[in-house]
């Protein structure tokens, strides 16, 4: 017969953070107050970069200058076109021992305005949109929306737009069909009920004078008054609609947070704050906050661009090291969200291998779909290294997988990191309602992610 102790040593038990480390509750709740501030200030990648750089500068980081010669403890950052930022703290070890890298993305699914967005119909002024990232279109109707973005006029003037976020700001709105006359809509498949071209944002109804485009003209007059822009300036602008709601606590116990864009700010914030708190590490530690993950990492500010590679090579050269040797010895956490098990949609999951809310950081060996396709599939060696670091630092962690086999799947930036010959594993916070206008995450997991990145940097 086996004793209870012997059985315990053999069985794996994944438990709640509140069971394993209940003493962390207070710290987790306090930590998440800062997280909510970050969420509210950073609904687009550009805003997230501004926020991150301000925090970094307050914590001694300076713009990276390849002509400088950096020493252990030095803190640098490099911005890529205002939409991505990479930060590093130089370590005491020889670069050839490798870098410790954490990558999170700061773009989130949303509705981008088209380049000729404005039109008028039935006395209402609208913006045409083209959605960005994987959304369920029906979730974006009948919801207060804010407009964020950047307009550059032909004369070179720059206007940063952010409307719908402050108390008293107007918001924007996409109508849905009333249920009373929705028979035909109800008969459609869920994915077809609202079309992409149907996501038109109401932005005004006051006419200026008379004529066909009187309401549109009224809106343009207000845009000119407020921002000094004309319709032609919208052709070159980047404007996006995001949910106007602020981050809020959820539950009688306030143990969770509902907010827009937690994929992947829920990993970006813990990664960034872990680096900011770092003193002088052994290995050089790097945090990458990157754009364009939600549309496949394409684009010059996404991870398929050579920007990160060039920065890392420059850092190696600065320290007199062969980047090929450094890369081969480096490893990376692709810090992105996991899809937490949702008991209300249990059929889509395989319960044993799912990650759970409040069970700590989710380590996902692979993502992908249809037989791990599109996954970088982390090695046993890297997983074991991480497990050993987590054990050493008391990190509560679990494994995770995106739903049951052949139910769908997901990709992350892990594949782009692997292309640099850097070992990589997906590690992140499990969330519910991923890619909804408002997503749900647990405070214990967010704080555990912060501790996990600190542990990874400490080694
Ligand atoms: Mn993500
Ligand atoms: Mn995503």
């Amino acid at each position: 017969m086996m004793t209870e102790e012997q059985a315990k040593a053999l069985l794996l038990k994944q438990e709640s953070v509140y069971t394993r480390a209940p003493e962390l509750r207070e710290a987790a709740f306090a930590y998440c107050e800062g997280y909510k501030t970050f969420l509210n200030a950073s609904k687009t990648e550009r805003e997230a970069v501004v926020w991150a750089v301000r925090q970094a500068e307050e914590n001694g980081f300076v713009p990276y200058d390849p002509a400088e010669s950096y020493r252990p403890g030095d803190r640098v950052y490099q911005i890529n076109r205002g939409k991505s930022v990479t930060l590093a703290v130089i370590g005491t070890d020889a670069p050839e021992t490798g870098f410790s890298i954490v990558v999170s993305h700061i773009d989130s699914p949303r509705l981008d305005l088209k380049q000729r967005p404005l039109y008028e119909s039935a006395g209402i002024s609208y913006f045409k949109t083209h959605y960005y990232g994987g959304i369920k279109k029906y979730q974006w109707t009948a919801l207060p929306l804010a407009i964020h973005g950047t307009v550059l006029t032909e004369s070179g003037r720059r206007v940063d737009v952010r409307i719908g976020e402050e108390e008293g700001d107007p918001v924007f709105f996409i109508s849905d069909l009333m249920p009373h006359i929705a028979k035909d809509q109800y008969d459609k498949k869920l994915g077809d009920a609202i079309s992409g071209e149907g996501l038109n944002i109401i932005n005004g109804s006051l006419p200026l004078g008379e004529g066909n485009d009187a309401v549109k003209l009224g809106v343009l007059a207000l845009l000119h008054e407020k921002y000094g822009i004309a319709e032609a300036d919208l052709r070159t602008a980047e404007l996006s609609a995001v949910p106007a709601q602020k981050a809020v606590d959820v539950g009688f116990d306030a143990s969770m947070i509902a907010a827009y864009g937690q994929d992947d700010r829920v990993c970006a914030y813990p990664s960034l704050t872990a680096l900011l708190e770092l003193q002088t590490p052994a290995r050089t530690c790097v945090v990458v906050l990157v754009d364009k993950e939600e549309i496949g990492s394409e684009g010059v500010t996404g991870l398929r661009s050579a920007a990160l590679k060039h920065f890392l090579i420059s850092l190696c050269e600065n320290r007199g090291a062969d980047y090929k040797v450094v890369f081969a010895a480096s490893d990376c956490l692709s810090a992105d969200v996991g899809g937490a098990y949702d008991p209300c949609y249990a059929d889509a999951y395989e319960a044993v291998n799912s990650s759970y809310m409040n069970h700590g950081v989710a380590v996902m060996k692979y993502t992908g779909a249809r037989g791990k396709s599109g996954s970088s599939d982390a090695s046993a060696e890297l997983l074991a290294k991480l497990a050993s670091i987590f054990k050493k630092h008391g990190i509560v962690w679990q494994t995770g997988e995106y739903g049951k086999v052949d139910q769908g799947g997901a990709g992350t930036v892990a594949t782009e990191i692997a292309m640099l010959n850097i070992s990589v594993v997906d590690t992140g916070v499990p969330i519910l309602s991923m890619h909804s206008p408002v997503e749900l995450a647990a405070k214990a997991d967010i704080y555990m992610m912060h501790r996990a990145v600190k542990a990874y940097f400490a080694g």
Side-chain angles (χ1 to χ4, degrees):
M1 251 324 257
M2 201 175 264
T3 66
E4 207 174 304
E5 277 305 302
Q6 286 169 324
K8 217 174 144 190
L10 287 181
L11 288 163
L12 168 67
K13 197 171 181 194
Q14 288 187 171
E15 294 176 308
S16 164
V17 173
Y18 294 110
T19 309
R20 293 271 301 278
E23 72 283 0
L24 294 182
R25 194 190 86 108
E26 205 174 321
F29 277 47
Y31 176 77
C32 285
E33 290 306 304
Y35 171 55
K36 285 186 283 183
T37 305
F38 166 69
L39 285 173
N40 293 338
S42 312
K43 289 190 176 179
T44 64
E45 60 278 1
R46 284 183 193 268
E47 291 171 355
V49 167
V50 168
W51 196 92
V53 167
R54 196 173 58 234
Q55 299 298 313
E57 287 183 340
E58 282 173 13
N59 284 276
F61 285 74
V62 297
Y64 178 70
D65 176 1
E68 285 285 326
S69 111
Y70 290 106
R71 289 188 309 272
D74 283 347
R75 301 151 89 80
V76 296
Y77 69 85
Q78 187 175 68
I79 300 172
N80 179 9
R81 297 167 171 87
K83 295 185 177 192
S84 294
V85 60
T86 302
L87 309 99
V89 179
I90 312 298
T92 50
D93 285 358
E96 289 82 356
T97 60
F99 295 168
S100 297
I101 305 167
V102 181
V103 185
S104 305
H105 66 92
I106 47 176
D107 62 320
S108 297
R110 64 187 183 223
L111 303 178
D112 285 346
L113 269 52
K114 291 191 184 187
Q115 296 326 116
R116 292 193 62 188
L118 256 184
Y119 75 100
E120 173 179 339
S121 184
I124 299 173
S125 175
Y126 290 93
F127 284 135
K128 294 294 300 177
T129 67
H130 196 137
Y131 64 97
Y132 174 97
I135 63 165
K136 286 173 147 180
K137 299 181 196 82
Y138 68 85
Q139 294 180 332
W140 288 75
T141 62
L143 178 79
L145 297 168
I147 306 281
H148 292 236
T150 300
V151 186
L152 293 164
T153 67
E154 280 176 355
S155 60
R157 204 164 48 82
R158 179 199 178 91
V159 186
D160 286 317
V161 176
R162 192 171 191 274
I163 183 162
E165 297 291 351
E166 303 308 321
E167 196 65 40
D169 271 7
V171 296
F172 304 87
F173 190 84
I174 297 172
S175 61
D176 197 354
L177 185 60
M178 66 184 106
H180 315 66
I181 56 170
K183 182 190 163 296
D184 291 351
Q185 188 188 41
Y186 277 136
D187 287 344
K188 290 178 182 172
K189 283 194 282 185
L190 187 62
D192 300 331
I194 302 287
S195 70
E197 289 296 349
L199 293 173
N200 301 312
I201 300 174
I202 294 174
N203 60 43
S205 68
L206 267 186
L208 184 65
E210 286 167 32
N212 280 345
D213 277 340
V215 176
K216 174 178 164 178
L217 195 60
V219 167
L220 279 169
L222 288 170
L223 286 176
H224 190 259
E225 188 184 306
K226 189 172 170 66
Y227 302 112
I229 58 175
E231 189 175 14
D233 296 317
L234 298 177
R235 287 183 302 180
T236 56
E238 268 179 7
L239 294 166
S240 306
V242 297
Q245 192 187 321
K246 295 216 185 315
V248 286
D249 288 348
V250 172
F252 288 113
D253 54 12
S255 61
M256 296 162 281
I257 293 173
Y260 165 72
Q262 298 204 73
D263 175 8
D264 185 29
R265 288 168 186 79
V266 77
C267 296
Y269 182 80
S271 308
L272 175 69
T273 51
L275 192 76
L276 298 185
E277 289 172 17
L278 202 56
Q279 298 305 311
T280 303
R283 283 175 120 196
T284 293
C285 294
V286 180
V287 163
V288 188
L289 305 181
V290 74
D291 183 28
K292 294 283 182 281
E293 192 278 340
E294 293 294 357
I295 57 169
S297 296
E298 314 282 356
V300 76
T301 50
L303 218 53
R304 292 200 173 190
S305 146
L308 175 65
K309 183 180 172 183
H310 290 169
F311 174 75
L312 292 176
I313 289 174
S314 181
L315 213 52
C316 293
E317 286 170 350
N318 192 280
R319 305 277 296 140
D322 178 351
Y323 81 86
K324 298 186 290 299
V325 177
V326 179
F327 283 18
S330 296
D331 43 52
C332 175
L333 303 185
S334 163
D336 204 344
V337 294
Y341 180 79
D342 189 336
C344 294
Y345 300 93
D347 283 354
Y349 297 84
E350 188 263 281
V352 177
N353 284 281
S354 293
S355 57
Y356 289 79
M357 295 274 276
N358 281 322
H359 283 211
V361 171
V363 177
M364 293 153 282
K365 174 170 160 53
Y366 49 85
T367 57
R370 299 172 308 282
K372 299 190 177 181
S373 189
S375 163
S376 86
D377 206 6
S379 71
E381 286 82 353
L382 182 57
L383 288 166
K385 175 185 169 176
L386 203 56
S388 144
I389 290 173
F390 284 174
K391 187 181 174 109
K392 180 172 155 193
H393 294 272
I395 303 303
V396 181
W397 70 281
Q398 54 184 327
T399 59
E401 184 162 357
Y402 266 81
K404 65 184 181 189
V405 176
D406 287 339
Q407 182 66 25
T412 66
V413 297
T415 42
E416 277 68 36
I417 294 296
M419 280 159 69
L420 299 174
N421 193 28
I422 294 173
S423 298
V424 57
V425 59
D426 285 298
T427 304
V429 175
I431 67 172
L432 284 178
S433 265
M434 191 191 297
H435 282 209
S436 291
V438 169
E439 304 165 307
L440 193 68
K443 289 180 180 176
D445 297 331
I446 300 165
Y447 183 57
M448 197 51 75
M449 184 68 193
H450 172 69
R451 291 174 58 107
V453 175
K454 284 179 80 164
Y456 171 63
F457 285 154

